[in-house]
DNA sequence: CTCATATATGCGAATCACTCGCATCTAAGC
DNA sequence: GCTTAGATGCGAGTGATTCGCATATATGAG
């Protein structure tokens, strides 16, 4: 048996965050999401489970979760912030410019070269975003 | 003698954009900028040359120039849009998280691998942004 | 050179995503 | 069961960007 990663709820407890009713639902929605929802979409999904949660609570919760390193914020070209649980292993994103669909990929080689170049410039990498806007190949 | 690239003003004319007073000053400011100014900073620089240009005009002009492919928009982590003339050869950016300073770099290798991976996924690349947030190496 | 008109500008109002103030509520430790 | 720091709901506030509209002007035609 491989040991499953700690759930978001467990990680919240570890971080000393309170598990309130609204927060539990938001965590559940985040766990169930395999895409990159924005705040409004999260709100919609939360409302579907338990109506009455204010959108300001979604905003505050994602901010808290991001500050504690439990979720990642993304800002693709459309403006709004999007979120996903911090993945086990880092990945970057293709964004289909026609549909907005997001596809994840990882290149160990690109990651390595980034480190190499940063070192040449005398920098330590804190984080990075590689967003590749694409369209399906014709023919 | 190498032939100099067409100036922004020339490219505007090619695109059929009118060369008004305010617009000429904005183009001049963009040509003179070797950093990545946001709209307020552009406005400040324009006002220093010719007061009275409204900030809405700056917004409209950078949008027009970007739509015509004459300048690039960037959105680093600080929220506001930043701009630079479309460079002769593409580059990516380091952003110093302590100072906000932006340093440009280019890796042919990273560019090549991106194309390779996109092809594997069945995509054509439209554009991409690689923003690496860094801090000066200690020691 | 003069005119006609599509474009651009100034200005204030509007929008949009997001944040804040504050009264109220509640999870969680004792 | 208390206590209290932290969380929530709600409405107001922000900051960046866009829009509506009246006015001005660049540019091409004549
Ligand atoms: Mn992802
Ligand atoms: Mn640049
Ligand atoms: Zn990466
Ligand atoms: Zn690049």
């Amino acid at each position: 048996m491989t040991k499953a990663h700690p759930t978001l709820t467990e990680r919240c407890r570890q971080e000393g965050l309170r598990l309130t009713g609204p927060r539990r639902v938001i965590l559940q929605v985040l766990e169930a999401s395999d895409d990159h929802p924005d705040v409004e979409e999260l709100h919609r999904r939360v409302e579907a489970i338990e109506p009455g949660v204010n959108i300001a609570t979604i905003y505050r919760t994602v901010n808290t979760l991001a500050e504690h390193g439990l979720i990642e914020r993304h800002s693709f070209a459309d403006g709004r912030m999007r979120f996903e649980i911090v993945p086990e292993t880092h990945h970057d994103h293709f964004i289909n410019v026609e549909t907005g669909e997001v596809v994840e990929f990882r290149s160990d080689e690109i990651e390595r070269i980034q480190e190499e170049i940063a070192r040449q410039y005398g920098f330590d990498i804190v984080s990075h975003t590689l967003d590749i806007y694409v369209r399906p190949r014709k023919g």
Side-chain angles (χ1 to χ4, degrees), chain A:
Chain A
M1 268 311 290
T2 67
K3 169 136 155 294
H5 312 120
T7 171
L8 254 193
T9 305
E10 288 166 353
R11 275 180 276 182
C12 277
R13 222 187 287 277
Q14 284 171 17
E15 294 288 322
L17 298 174
R18 284 195 189 168
L19 293 170
T20 66
R23 187 167 287 176
R24 278 172 197 280
V25 180
I26 295 169
L27 298 176
Q28 173 187 342
V29 165
L30 283 166
E31 295 272 20
S33 300
D34 63 343
D35 50 352
H36 302 77
D38 60 19
V39 167
E40 282 207 25
E41 180 58 29
L42 287 172
H43 189 227
R44 247 176 264 123
R45 295 179 191 180
V46 166
E47 286 281 291
I49 297 173
E50 180 178 304
V53 177
N54 194 280
I55 196 164
T57 298
I58 312 282
Y59 275 107
R60 282 190 279 234
T61 302
V62 292
N63 285 344
T64 300
L65 296 176
E67 280 159 20
H68 286 262
L70 307 189
I71 65 177
E72 277 179 1
R73 310 159 150 291
H74 298 295
S75 66
F76 302 136
D78 65 5
R80 357 188 187 349
M81 285 286 164
R82 295 171 174 279
F83 302 89
E84 72 179 316
I85 295 182
V86 168
E88 263 177 87
T89 62
H90 162 84
H91 61 250
D92 294 299
H93 300 90
F94 288 118
I95 301 98
N96 183 324
V97 296
E98 289 168 8
T99 65
E101 189 198 3
V102 175
V103 175
E104 303 178 336
F105 73 90
R106 176 184 172 87
S107 164
D108 288 330
E109 225 178 332
I110 288 178
E111 299 295 324
R112 183 182 54 69
I113 298 167
Q114 286 182 47
E115 288 292 347
E116 197 176 299
I117 298 177
R119 176 160 341 110
Q120 286 167 18
Y121 278 78
F123 292 134
D124 281 332
I125 295 179
V126 174
S127 66
H128 71 271
T129 62
L130 172 55
D131 299 332
I132 307 186
Y133 296 87
V134 298
R135 59 166 46 95
R137 172 125 23 81
K138 290 253 173 78

Short mmCIF file of all heavy atoms in Angstrom, two decimals, chain A residues 82-115:
data_model
loop_
_atom_site.label_atom_id
_atom_site.label_comp_id
_atom_site.label_asym_id
_atom_site.label_seq_id
_atom_site.Cartn_x
_atom_site.Cartn_y
_atom_site.Cartn_z
N ARG A 82 -7.10 31.87 -10.84
CA ARG A 82 -7.55 30.50 -10.85
C ARG A 82 -6.75 29.70 -9.85
O ARG A 82 -5.64 30.09 -9.50
CB ARG A 82 -7.39 29.90 -12.25
CG ARG A 82 -8.29 30.61 -13.23
CD ARG A 82 -8.04 30.24 -14.67
NE ARG A 82 -9.06 30.88 -15.50
CZ ARG A 82 -10.28 30.38 -15.64
NH1 ARG A 82 -10.61 29.22 -15.07
NH2 ARG A 82 -11.17 31.03 -16.35
N PHE A 83 -7.31 28.60 -9.38
CA PHE A 83 -6.69 27.88 -8.27
C PHE A 83 -6.63 26.39 -8.49
O PHE A 83 -7.46 25.81 -9.20
CB PHE A 83 -7.48 28.17 -6.98
CG PHE A 83 -7.54 29.63 -6.66
CD1 PHE A 83 -8.56 30.43 -7.17
CD2 PHE A 83 -6.55 30.23 -5.89
CE1 PHE A 83 -8.61 31.79 -6.90
CE2 PHE A 83 -6.59 31.59 -5.63
CZ PHE A 83 -7.62 32.37 -6.13
N GLU A 84 -5.65 25.78 -7.87
CA GLU A 84 -5.57 24.31 -7.82
C GLU A 84 -4.77 23.92 -6.59
O GLU A 84 -3.95 24.69 -6.10
CB GLU A 84 -4.93 23.74 -9.08
CG GLU A 84 -3.43 23.98 -9.18
CD GLU A 84 -2.81 23.36 -10.44
OE1 GLU A 84 -3.16 22.21 -10.76
OE2 GLU A 84 -2.00 24.05 -11.08
N ILE A 85 -5.04 22.75 -6.10
CA ILE A 85 -4.28 22.23 -4.97
C ILE A 85 -2.81 22.13 -5.37
O ILE A 85 -2.51 21.75 -6.50
CB ILE A 85 -4.81 20.84 -4.57
CG1 ILE A 85 -6.24 20.99 -4.05
CG2 ILE A 85 -3.91 20.20 -3.52
CD1 ILE A 85 -6.85 19.68 -3.59
N VAL A 86 -1.90 22.48 -4.48
CA VAL A 86 -0.47 22.36 -4.79
C VAL A 86 -0.18 20.91 -5.16
O VAL A 86 -0.47 20.01 -4.37
CB VAL A 86 0.39 22.79 -3.58
CG1 VAL A 86 1.84 22.39 -3.80
CG2 VAL A 86 0.30 24.29 -3.36
N PRO A 87 0.31 20.69 -6.37
CA PRO A 87 0.47 19.30 -6.82
C PRO A 87 1.69 18.64 -6.17
O PRO A 87 2.61 19.32 -5.73
CB PRO A 87 0.67 19.45 -8.32
CG PRO A 87 1.33 20.78 -8.47
CD PRO A 87 0.77 21.65 -7.38
N GLU A 88 1.65 17.33 -6.14
CA GLU A 88 2.79 16.55 -5.63
C GLU A 88 4.07 16.96 -6.33
O GLU A 88 5.08 17.21 -5.71
CB GLU A 88 2.57 15.09 -6.00
CG GLU A 88 1.98 14.24 -4.93
CD GLU A 88 1.78 12.87 -5.53
OE1 GLU A 88 2.75 12.08 -5.47
OE2 GLU A 88 0.69 12.62 -6.08
N THR A 89 4.01 16.98 -7.66
CA THR A 89 5.16 17.44 -8.42
C THR A 89 4.72 18.56 -9.34
O THR A 89 3.67 18.48 -9.98
CB THR A 89 5.78 16.30 -9.26
OG1 THR A 89 4.82 15.85 -10.18
CG2 THR A 89 6.23 15.15 -8.38
N HIS A 90 5.55 19.58 -9.37
CA HIS A 90 5.28 20.78 -10.16
C HIS A 90 4.99 20.47 -11.63
O HIS A 90 5.55 19.56 -12.19
CB HIS A 90 6.49 21.70 -10.05
CG HIS A 90 6.55 22.73 -11.10
ND1 HIS A 90 5.87 23.92 -11.02
CD2 HIS A 90 7.20 22.77 -12.29
CE1 HIS A 90 6.09 24.63 -12.10
NE2 HIS A 90 6.90 23.96 -12.89
N HIS A 91 4.11 21.28 -12.21
CA HIS A 91 3.86 21.18 -13.66
C HIS A 91 3.60 22.58 -14.22
O HIS A 91 3.37 23.51 -13.47
CB HIS A 91 2.68 20.25 -13.93
CG HIS A 91 1.40 20.72 -13.32
ND1 HIS A 91 0.80 20.08 -12.25
CD2 HIS A 91 0.60 21.77 -13.60
CE1 HIS A 91 -0.30 20.72 -11.92
NE2 HIS A 91 -0.44 21.77 -12.72
N ASP A 92 3.65 22.68 -15.53
CA ASP A 92 3.30 23.93 -16.19
C ASP A 92 2.06 23.72 -17.04
O ASP A 92 1.46 22.65 -16.96
CB ASP A 92 4.51 24.44 -16.99
CG ASP A 92 5.66 24.82 -16.06
OD1 ASP A 92 5.47 25.72 -15.23
OD2 ASP A 92 6.75 24.20 -16.15
N HIS A 93 1.65 24.73 -17.81
CA HIS A 93 0.33 24.68 -18.44
C HIS A 93 0.32 25.09 -19.91
O HIS A 93 0.95 26.09 -20.28
CB HIS A 93 -0.65 25.57 -17.68
CG HIS A 93 -0.83 25.18 -16.25
ND1 HIS A 93 -0.05 25.69 -15.24
CD2 HIS A 93 -1.67 24.29 -15.65
CE1 HIS A 93 -0.41 25.16 -14.08
NE2 HIS A 93 -1.39 24.30 -14.30
N PHE A 94 -0.42 24.32 -20.70
CA PHE A 94 -0.86 24.75 -22.01
C PHE A 94 -2.24 25.34 -21.83
O PHE A 94 -3.05 24.79 -21.08
CB PHE A 94 -1.00 23.56 -22.97
CG PHE A 94 0.29 22.94 -23.42
CD1 PHE A 94 0.59 21.62 -23.12
CD2 PHE A 94 1.20 23.67 -24.18
CE1 PHE A 94 1.77 21.03 -23.55
CE2 PHE A 94 2.39 23.09 -24.61
CZ PHE A 94 2.68 21.77 -24.30
N ILE A 95 -2.53 26.45 -22.51
CA ILE A 95 -3.87 27.00 -22.51
C ILE A 95 -4.34 27.07 -23.96
O ILE A 95 -3.74 27.75 -24.79
CB ILE A 95 -3.93 28.41 -21.87
CG1 ILE A 95 -3.44 28.36 -20.44
CG2 ILE A 95 -5.36 28.94 -21.92
CD1 ILE A 95 -1.99 28.77 -20.25
N ASN A 96 -5.41 26.34 -24.23
CA ASN A 96 -6.00 26.35 -25.57
C ASN A 96 -6.68 27.70 -25.78
O ASN A 96 -7.67 28.01 -25.12
CB ASN A 96 -6.99 25.20 -25.69
CG ASN A 96 -7.59 25.08 -27.07
OD1 ASN A 96 -7.85 26.08 -27.75
ND2 ASN A 96 -7.82 23.86 -27.51
N VAL A 97 -6.15 28.48 -26.73
CA VAL A 97 -6.68 29.84 -26.90
C VAL A 97 -8.08 29.84 -27.49
O VAL A 97 -8.79 30.84 -27.40
CB VAL A 97 -5.76 30.72 -27.79
CG1 VAL A 97 -4.42 30.93 -27.13
CG2 VAL A 97 -5.59 30.11 -29.17
N GLU A 98 -8.48 28.72 -28.08
CA GLU A 98 -9.82 28.69 -28.69
C GLU A 98 -10.89 28.32 -27.67
O GLU A 98 -12.01 28.80 -27.72
CB GLU A 98 -9.84 27.72 -29.87
CG GLU A 98 -9.05 28.27 -31.06
CD GLU A 98 -8.79 27.24 -32.14
OE1 GLU A 98 -9.33 26.12 -32.06
OE2 GLU A 98 -8.02 27.56 -33.07
N THR A 99 -10.53 27.45 -26.75
CA THR A 99 -11.53 26.93 -25.81
C THR A 99 -11.28 27.37 -24.37
O THR A 99 -12.16 27.26 -23.52
CB THR A 99 -11.50 25.39 -25.81
OG1 THR A 99 -10.22 24.95 -25.31
CG2 THR A 99 -11.72 24.85 -27.21
N GLY A 100 -10.06 27.83 -24.08
CA GLY A 100 -9.73 28.17 -22.70
C GLY A 100 -9.31 26.95 -21.89
O GLY A 100 -8.88 27.09 -20.74
N GLU A 101 -9.42 25.78 -22.48
CA GLU A 101 -9.06 24.55 -21.76
C GLU A 101 -7.58 24.57 -21.35
O GLU A 101 -6.73 25.05 -22.10
CB GLU A 101 -9.33 23.34 -22.66
CG GLU A 101 -9.19 22.00 -21.95
CD GLU A 101 -9.04 20.84 -22.95
OE1 GLU A 101 -9.00 21.11 -24.18
OE2 GLU A 101 -8.97 19.69 -22.52
N VAL A 102 -7.31 24.06 -20.16
CA VAL A 102 -5.94 24.04 -19.64
C VAL A 102 -5.45 22.60 -19.60
O VAL A 102 -6.15 21.71 -19.11
CB VAL A 102 -5.89 24.65 -18.23
CG1 VAL A 102 -4.50 24.51 -17.64
CG2 VAL A 102 -6.31 26.12 -18.27
N VAL A 103 -4.25 22.36 -20.13
CA VAL A 103 -3.64 21.03 -20.12
C VAL A 103 -2.31 21.15 -19.39
O VAL A 103 -1.54 22.07 -19.63
CB VAL A 103 -3.42 20.51 -21.54
CG1 VAL A 103 -2.67 19.18 -21.52
CG2 VAL A 103 -4.75 20.35 -22.27
N GLU A 104 -2.06 20.21 -18.48
CA GLU A 104 -0.83 20.27 -17.69
C GLU A 104 0.27 19.46 -18.34
O GLU A 104 0.01 18.45 -18.99
CB GLU A 104 -1.12 19.74 -16.29
CG GLU A 104 -2.26 20.52 -15.63
CD GLU A 104 -2.63 19.99 -14.26
OE1 GLU A 104 -2.37 18.80 -13.98
OE2 GLU A 104 -3.18 20.79 -13.47
N PHE A 105 1.51 19.93 -18.18
CA PHE A 105 2.64 19.14 -18.67
C PHE A 105 3.82 19.42 -17.76
O PHE A 105 3.81 20.37 -16.97
CB PHE A 105 2.99 19.51 -20.12
CG PHE A 105 3.66 20.85 -20.25
CD1 PHE A 105 5.05 20.97 -20.19
CD2 PHE A 105 2.90 22.01 -20.39
CE1 PHE A 105 5.67 22.21 -20.30
CE2 PHE A 105 3.50 23.25 -20.50
CZ PHE A 105 4.88 23.36 -20.45
N ARG A 106 4.83 18.58 -17.87
CA ARG A 106 6.04 18.82 -17.11
C ARG A 106 7.23 18.46 -17.98
O ARG A 106 7.23 17.43 -18.64
CB ARG A 106 6.08 17.98 -15.85
CG ARG A 106 7.39 18.16 -15.11
CD ARG A 106 7.56 17.29 -13.90
NE ARG A 106 8.93 17.44 -13.41
CZ ARG A 106 9.32 18.37 -12.57
NH1 ARG A 106 8.43 19.24 -12.09
NH2 ARG A 106 10.58 18.44 -12.21
N SER A 107 8.24 19.32 -17.98
CA SER A 107 9.49 19.02 -18.66
C SER A 107 10.63 19.14 -17.66
O SER A 107 11.00 20.24 -17.26
CB SER A 107 9.71 19.98 -19.82
OG SER A 107 11.08 19.93 -20.23
N ASP A 108 11.18 17.99 -17.27
CA ASP A 108 12.34 18.02 -16.35
C ASP A 108 13.47 18.84 -16.98
O ASP A 108 14.20 19.53 -16.29
CB ASP A 108 12.83 16.61 -16.08
CG ASP A 108 11.86 15.84 -15.19
OD1 ASP A 108 11.18 16.47 -14.36
OD2 ASP A 108 11.78 14.60 -15.33
N GLU A 109 13.55 18.74 -18.30
CA GLU A 109 14.63 19.43 -18.99
C GLU A 109 14.46 20.95 -18.88
O GLU A 109 15.42 21.67 -18.58
CB GLU A 109 14.60 19.01 -20.46
CG GLU A 109 15.96 18.68 -21.02
CD GLU A 109 15.86 18.23 -22.46
OE1 GLU A 109 14.79 17.68 -22.84
OE2 GLU A 109 16.83 18.45 -23.21
N ILE A 110 13.25 21.43 -19.11
CA ILE A 110 13.03 22.88 -18.98
C ILE A 110 13.29 23.32 -17.55
O ILE A 110 13.93 24.35 -17.31
CB ILE A 110 11.60 23.27 -19.42
CG1 ILE A 110 11.48 23.15 -20.94
CG2 ILE A 110 11.26 24.68 -18.97
CD1 ILE A 110 10.09 23.48 -21.49
N GLU A 111 12.83 22.53 -16.60
CA GLU A 111 13.04 22.89 -15.18
C GLU A 111 14.54 23.00 -14.90
O GLU A 111 14.99 23.93 -14.23
CB GLU A 111 12.40 21.85 -14.27
CG GLU A 111 10.88 21.69 -14.44
CD GLU A 111 10.09 22.92 -14.05
OE1 GLU A 111 10.47 23.61 -13.09
OE2 GLU A 111 9.08 23.23 -14.75
N ARG A 112 15.29 22.03 -15.41
CA ARG A 112 16.73 22.02 -15.16
C ARG A 112 17.42 23.22 -15.79
O ARG A 112 18.24 23.90 -15.17
CB ARG A 112 17.33 20.72 -15.74
CG ARG A 112 18.82 20.54 -15.49
CD ARG A 112 19.35 19.27 -16.13
NE ARG A 112 19.07 19.16 -17.55
CZ ARG A 112 19.62 19.92 -18.50
NH1 ARG A 112 20.49 20.85 -18.19
NH2 ARG A 112 19.30 19.73 -19.78
N ILE A 113 17.05 23.52 -17.04
CA ILE A 113 17.70 24.64 -17.74
C ILE A 113 17.38 25.96 -17.03
O ILE A 113 18.23 26.85 -16.93
CB ILE A 113 17.24 24.69 -19.21
CG1 ILE A 113 17.66 23.41 -19.91
CG2 ILE A 113 17.83 25.90 -19.92
CD1 ILE A 113 16.99 23.20 -21.26
N GLN A 114 16.18 26.09 -16.53
CA GLN A 114 15.83 27.31 -15.79
C GLN A 114 16.79 27.51 -14.61
O GLN A 114 17.30 28.61 -14.38
CB GLN A 114 14.40 27.22 -15.24
CG GLN A 114 13.34 27.39 -16.29
CD GLN A 114 11.94 27.34 -15.70
OE1 GLN A 114 11.68 27.99 -14.69
NE2 GLN A 114 11.09 26.54 -16.28
N GLU A 115 17.01 26.43 -13.87
CA GLU A 115 17.92 26.50 -12.71
C GLU A 115 19.31 26.93 -13.16
O GLU A 115 19.97 27.75 -12.52
CB GLU A 115 18.01 25.14 -12.01
CG GLU A 115 16.76 24.75 -11.23
CD GLU A 115 16.53 25.63 -10.01
OE1 GLU A 115 17.44 26.39 -9.60
OE2 GLU A 115 15.40 25.58 -9.48
#
